[in-house]
Amino acid sequence: ESPKEDLEELPENIADTLDTFHGEEPLSVGNFDEAAPAGGSDVAENGDEADESKTGDEEDILTDDERRAVILHLSAFPKEVELKLAQAIVSGKYSDDEIMPLVKALIKGEDQHLVAKIYERITGDTSIQKVEFRKFTGQDFEKKQHSFVYNFEKNILPIITRIAAAAFVVVGILFFVINFVIPSFIVSGYYKTGKDNIRKLDFDNVEPYFSKAFSIQPRYKEVIAYARLYREYERYNDAEKKYQLADEMREDRSLDLEFADFYREIKRYEVSAARYRDIIKTNLKDIDARNGLGRTYYDWSFEQKEKLINAEEQFLEVLDIDMKNSGAIFGILKTRIKMDDPKKIMDAYKYAELHLKKENVDIEAYCELASYIMDKGSVNEVKNILSRASESLKGKIIYPELDYQYARYHKLLTIYDEERKYLESAVKKIERLKEKGISVARREKGINKLSSKVYNDLGENYDRMSRANIKAENMYNKSIEADPSNAKPYYNLGNFAFINKGNRGEALEKYLQAEERGFVNDTLDYNVGWLQYKAGEFYKSFEKINKLLDMYKDNNNLKFMCGTILFHLGKNDLAESQLRETYEYFDTMRQANYPLDMEIADHKYYVEMLYKSANNLASALYMKYRQTRKTNYMIEAGKYYAVAIEFYDKYRDPLVADEKEMDAEDDKDAMLDASGGAINEKVALKRKYRKAMPNLNLMMVLYPDTVTLENPGVFEDFNQLEFMK
């Protein structure tokens, strides 16, 4: 018999009905739901009614054995299935003919899956097909349920299963914690320590931590993070290794783009271009790759200018795909700025203005555009360009370059107070950027170079507003401290020492340092030549002055200086040629402006150059006489000495103050040539007889036996600063 407890969860009417399976009265299938409780007195007392209810075919009447078979087979089903089958039989919802196949299948002990299919066909309920069925049915199951195995399975095994499941979960958690969580914490620590050591510049203690971490948990994102950090701190070999490792770990288009850009940054342009082209091969319309290739060609053009054409082509290809792509628009603008084609530059600028909104302006490109226009000495459109760049600043972005360009703009407008205001603003923003801990690479390549330019221009502003301003010299020194490769502050320090301090040695040193760093300037060449002349370095001086004379062939001040240098080098034929040209030019100007008025600056200048060039020409002729002993040179020398005396007197009489200036000039020579406190004899003689130089030279010609100087004297007080006069 089926245990009573197996039926406890059935609805009450079903349990009672199934209890009648143990009674004496056979029931028809159709009356399962109407059966009276078994063993009740009402059944005995109403026997006639019971007899009357026994209608229908005998084959529809279930025997005790059949009832037993039904209840046993039902008990073999999972509880939820047992309930559904019993409810279908006793509900009265289905006719005897409809329900009989199910009852017969249960009596025969058919396979549970077959019973489920019959149930499904009768009721249309497919849910029990999803339940896992037991394999024991009928008598076999009845025997099984009395066995130890069944009771173990029924009562003990579920408890063991629950305990085992709990234990398994605990073990699983422990396994996960031990093998994944704890190692993850340890690995994360290793990775972090390695990155911290990069930031501390302790590069020797980076790879050991990375290797430990990677051997336990190879993390793709950490490999890329190391590559980027090494790149930021310009450890390019280490960065390349990490990028290669990441590339081996996973195929990733974004990494391919970054890797290609890395090679562009380290100036391995061929490799960078090849990687971009590989990406483009897989997708001809890959805008990111084409823009990257364009940037690579642009940077490459600093080494090979023809690559600018390739850069422009790539950016135009992008615009064919997307006419509003900002990367390509500003790439073309920067490329054309470098091409130095004003028309194309303005076309690119107008295109950007037409197709892009205010907030999409590339601040760097617009600053370059403003700088280019100002370098050409113009201010057209500069204000609008800088305003558009300002409008594109978002959030808390600090961009001192913009302030610097505003300062340059106001300098061109000669509004020097505004220039200083923007320069000081740029200094403050640079300091704020440095406080934020910007990378070494950015400091070296960007911020420090900008800082150097700002300090230099600030020094020029102070110098312009107040001569000999000590703040100017301080700013130039700060400029050099920020970027020792910037040549301009060395040049400015040379000017400051030359003009304001009168220190020729320091001035020459600073000029040469500027020259070593690539500074090119006509005034620099002239001043260096002048200082080298004063230092007695005549050959070096000649190289500088003759270089300028090749560019300015009609500059008579340069001819006069070059001829005088050649005199000191003993090249008297060349000296005569240069000095004669100078004299003849000024003699022509004298005749053209006759009579000369010494109150007129130009007339005064003609007279000054006449006596200087005549005296020095005569000295060159006299030295030729001493070399050849040809008297015609001596006669001609005497003639020009006499002319020098004539014009010197004409120049000196109304301009007595100039004599004090000449004496002061000689004093400088004396101090520079002094050694151990004793003034050089030549300088002393020069100072003593300066006023009478042409007279002494003439006496040397007329009375050679009374010569007191080894060589004839020459005028050499060249104009230091206005050589183009």
Side-chain angles (χ1 to χ4, degrees):
E1 293 182 355
S2 175
K4 177 74 175 183
E5 57 269 25
D6 286 346
L7 304 177
E8 286 178 352
E9 293 182 16
L10 287 171
E12 185 177 348
N13 63 327
I14 297 174
D16 293 342
T17 302
L18 292 177
D19 280 343
T20 64
F21 283 10
H22 306 288
E24 297 180 350
E25 299 296 333
L27 300 175
S28 68
V29 174
N31 292 330
F32 273 7
D33 57 329
E34 298 174 359
S41 59
D42 292 339
V43 175
E45 292 174 359
N46 298 295
D48 293 339
E49 293 178 11
D51 290 341
E52 291 177 2
S53 69
K54 296 176 185 177
T55 61
D57 298 334
E58 287 298 324
E59 62 183 0
D60 292 336
I61 303 301
L62 298 179
T63 65
D64 289 344
D65 290 338
E66 287 172 336
R67 292 191 205 97
R68 184 184 297 276
V70 169
I71 195 67
L72 287 174
H73 201 31
L74 278 174
S75 300
F77 283 89
K79 186 68 67 179
E80 56 189 294
V81 177
E82 179 183 356
L83 288 172
K84 288 190 177 187
L85 293 174
Q87 285 174 340
I89 293 170
V90 303
S91 65
K93 184 177 179 181
Y94 307 103
S95 67
D96 288 352
D97 290 339
E98 288 175 322
I99 206 69
M100 186 54 69
L102 177 60
V103 175
K104 286 183 177 180
L106 291 169
I107 292 170
K108 292 179 181 179
E110 297 287 359
D111 181 75
Q112 292 182 349
H113 290 285
L114 178 59
V115 173
K117 287 181 180 179
I118 295 170
Y119 168 82
E120 179 183 334
R121 191 163 52 243
I122 295 169
T123 64
D125 181 5
T126 61
S127 62
I128 67 173
Q129 285 282 10
K130 301 175 183 178
V131 179
E132 183 178 354
F133 298 127
R134 295 174 183 166
K135 296 182 180 179
F136 300 104
T137 61
Q139 296 296 327
D140 291 335
F141 177 72
E142 186 177 5
K143 293 177 182 179
K144 186 71 178 175
Q145 69 184 359
H146 292 293
S147 68
F148 172 78
V149 173
Y150 174 80
N151 285 289
F152 178 81
E153 181 185 87
K154 185 74 175 178
N155 301 309
I156 301 173
L157 186 59
I159 298 172
I160 295 175
T161 302
R162 292 189 186 96
I163 295 172
F168 180 79
V169 170
V170 172
V171 170
I173 292 172
L174 288 174
F175 179 82
F176 179 76
V177 170
I178 293 170
N179 291 279
F180 294 98
V181 176
I182 294 176
S184 291
F185 277 113
I186 295 172
V187 167
S188 296
Y190 287 151
Y191 279 125
K192 182 179 182 301
T193 302
K195 288 185 286 188
D196 288 343
N197 286 339
I198 294 177
R199 295 186 184 95
K200 295 174 183 176
L201 308 183
D202 185 11
F203 298 111
D204 291 337
N205 287 318
V206 175
E207 287 304 307
Y209 286 99
F210 175 84
S211 298
K212 287 179 185 177
F214 191 81
S215 64
I216 300 171
Q217 285 185 8
R219 296 182 185 176
Y220 177 75
K221 290 184 178 180
E222 289 287 3
V223 175
I224 295 177
Y226 268 78
R228 290 170 179 167
L229 203 55
Y230 272 133
R231 179 179 177 180
E232 183 180 343
Y233 283 83
E234 295 185 296
R235 299 283 293 189
Y236 292 129
N237 288 334
D238 294 319
E240 183 180 11
K241 290 176 183 177
K242 292 297 178 284
Y243 275 124
Q244 287 173 341
L245 178 58
D247 201 24
E248 293 168 2
M249 292 174 71
R250 185 184 301 177
E251 289 187 9
D252 186 342
R253 173 183 166 278
S254 61
L255 176 65
D256 291 338
L257 289 169
E258 186 175 333
F259 204 176
D261 187 68
F262 165 75
Y263 281 121
R264 176 191 63 82
E265 183 180 311
I266 65 174
K267 300 182 180 180
R268 292 176 60 181
Y269 301 120
E270 290 185 9
V271 181
S272 175
R275 292 189 74 93
Y276 278 125
R277 285 194 291 266
D278 287 342
I279 300 171
I280 293 170
K281 285 178 184 176
T282 62
N283 179 8
L284 295 176
K285 294 187 176 182
D286 193 317
I287 288 177
D288 293 333
R290 286 197 179 277
N291 274 333
L293 184 56
R295 287 192 297 271
T296 296
Y297 283 131
Y298 174 82
D299 289 353
W300 202 347
S301 69
F302 286 90
E303 297 178 2
Q304 300 179 28
K305 192 172 182 180
E306 65 274 9
K307 295 297 181 182
L308 283 171
I309 302 298
N310 302 107
E312 187 180 36
E313 287 174 354
Q314 288 302 318
F315 293 133
L316 289 173
E317 287 281 354
V318 173
L319 291 183
D320 284 341
I321 301 168
D322 177 8
M323 65 184 297
K324 294 186 177 182
N325 183 269
S326 60
I329 289 173
F330 293 115
I332 287 175
L333 178 59
K334 292 176 71 174
T335 299
R336 289 179 175 175
I337 290 171
K338 198 161 185 293
M339 287 177 171
D340 195 12
D341 187 330
K343 184 180 182 305
K344 282 190 171 183
I345 291 169
M346 295 313 295
D347 287 344
Y349 166 61
K350 290 174 183 176
Y351 188 93
E353 289 290 286
L354 180 65
H355 289 88
L356 296 177
K357 297 178 181 179
K358 292 180 180 179
E359 59 271 17
N360 290 333
V361 164
D362 185 312
I363 301 173
E364 180 181 348
Y366 266 41
C367 282
E368 284 188 24
L369 176 59
S371 178
Y372 175 84
I373 293 172
M374 289 188 285
D375 286 343
K376 297 297 182 182
S378 174
V379 293
N380 294 335
E381 287 292 333
V382 170
K383 185 176 181 181
N384 180 61
I385 292 166
L386 294 178
S387 296
R388 296 276 278 111
S390 298
E391 291 167 2
S392 298
L393 285 174
K394 298 176 182 177
K396 298 181 179 179
I397 295 175
I398 303 172
Y399 204 79
E401 175 73 31
L402 192 54
D403 294 84
Y404 177 63
Q405 297 303 332
Y406 266 118
R408 292 190 62 202
Y409 171 69
H410 286 96
K411 179 181 178 181
L412 280 175
L413 296 177
T414 65
I415 308 175
Y416 299 124
D417 288 341
E418 286 296 302
E419 178 201 14
R420 183 181 298 181
K421 182 182 78 173
Y422 279 105
L423 288 172
E424 290 173 346
S425 174
V427 168
K428 290 177 182 177
K429 290 181 179 179
I430 289 169
E431 293 305 316
R432 284 169 60 193
L433 281 176
K434 290 181 178 180
E435 289 171 4
K436 291 180 71 173
I438 59 176
S439 69
V440 174
R442 190 177 172 198
R443 280 202 302 272
E444 295 300 324
K445 292 183 178 179
I447 296 301
N448 284 357
K449 290 185 181 298
L450 175 61
S451 179
S452 180
K453 290 191 290 185
V454 170
Y455 280 126
N456 178 76
D457 285 13
L458 197 53
E460 290 178 357
N461 183 279
Y462 284 126
D463 217 348
R464 193 182 304 112
M465 301 293 284
S466 174
R467 286 293 178 187
N469 191 333
I470 194 64
K471 287 184 178 180
E473 188 176 26
N474 290 340
M475 291 299 108
Y476 297 142
N477 284 319
K478 280 191 173 185
S479 177
I480 292 171
E481 183 181 347
D483 179 16
S485 67
N486 185 5
K488 189 70 181 290
Y490 291 97
Y491 171 72
N492 284 328
L493 280 173
N495 287 338
F496 192 87
F498 192 12
I499 299 167
N500 299 321
K501 297 167 71 174
N503 190 330
R504 294 179 186 172
E506 181 183 346
L508 181 58
E509 178 188 0
K510 296 303 179 184
Y511 283 143
L512 293 176
Q513 287 175 339
E515 194 173 51
E516 287 171 4
R517 287 159 177 79
F519 189 83
V520 178
N521 181 287
D522 291 342
T523 302
L524 171 71
D525 286 336
Y526 184 84
N527 288 352
V528 168
W530 191 94
L531 289 166
Q532 288 171 333
Y533 178 92
K534 292 297 183 180
E537 299 175 353
F538 299 119
Y539 186 78
K540 291 180 180 180
S541 175
F542 175 77
E543 287 181 329
K544 291 293 182 187
I545 303 305
N546 194 54
K547 173 186 171 183
L548 289 170
L549 188 56
D550 286 342
M551 293 187 289
Y552 307 105
K553 298 184 183 300
D554 296 327
N555 186 290
N556 288 284
N557 188 50
L558 291 174
K559 285 181 184 178
F560 173 64
M561 187 174 181
C562 197
T564 306
I565 296 169
L566 288 167
F567 168 80
H568 284 293
L569 289 172
K571 308 293 184 182
N572 294 303
D573 288 335
L574 294 173
E576 178 198 351
S577 174
Q578 295 282 8
L579 292 166
R580 190 180 295 278
E581 281 187 36
T582 306
Y583 172 79
E584 289 177 353
Y585 171 80
F586 287 106
D587 190 49
T588 301
M589 297 303 296
R590 175 188 66 80
Q591 295 176 37
N593 291 276
Y594 187 83
L596 298 178
D597 183 353
M598 296 303 288
E599 297 296 324
I600 299 173
D602 284 344
H603 292 189
K604 172 188 169 184
Y605 179 62
Y606 300 151
V607 172
E608 179 186 7
M609 291 306 297
L610 277 169
Y611 81 73
K612 288 180 180 179
S613 58
N615 178 83
N616 291 8
L617 172 59
S619 294
L621 289 168
Y622 180 75
M623 293 304 293
K624 289 181 71 175
Y625 159 73
R626 288 175 60 171
Q627 289 173 343
T628 63
R629 292 298 173 179
K630 293 182 179 180
T631 56
N632 59 313
Y633 290 134
M634 179 179 285
I635 294 170
E636 195 173 9
K639 167 189 163 184
Y640 282 108
Y641 279 135
V643 170
I645 292 169
E646 176 189 352
F647 285 107
Y648 182 81
D649 289 340
K650 186 177 292 187
Y651 180 85
R652 183 188 59 182
D653 290 342
L655 302 169
V656 178
D658 282 359
E659 295 181 10
K660 296 180 180 179
E661 293 180 9
M662 295 175 188
D663 289 342
E665 181 68 22
D666 291 337
D667 288 339
K668 288 182 183 178
D669 288 336
M671 287 186 289
L672 288 171
D673 293 338
S675 175
I679 296 177
N680 183 281
E681 181 181 356
K682 178 182 176 182
V683 175
L685 288 170
K686 177 183 174 184
R687 186 167 65 177
K688 182 176 180 181
Y689 297 108
R690 187 185 201 294
K691 297 177 183 178
M693 185 184 297
N695 302 76
L696 292 173
N697 288 338
L698 181 58
M699 288 177 63
M700 187 168 50
V701 171
L702 298 176
Y703 308 104
D705 294 335
T706 62
V707 173
T708 57
L709 296 175
E710 181 180 351
N711 293 313
V714 291
F715 289 108
E716 48 191 9
D717 47 335
F718 317 113
N719 189 320
Q720 310 101 291
L721 303 175
E722 298 180 10
F723 72 90
M724 293 298 293
K725 187 172 181 180

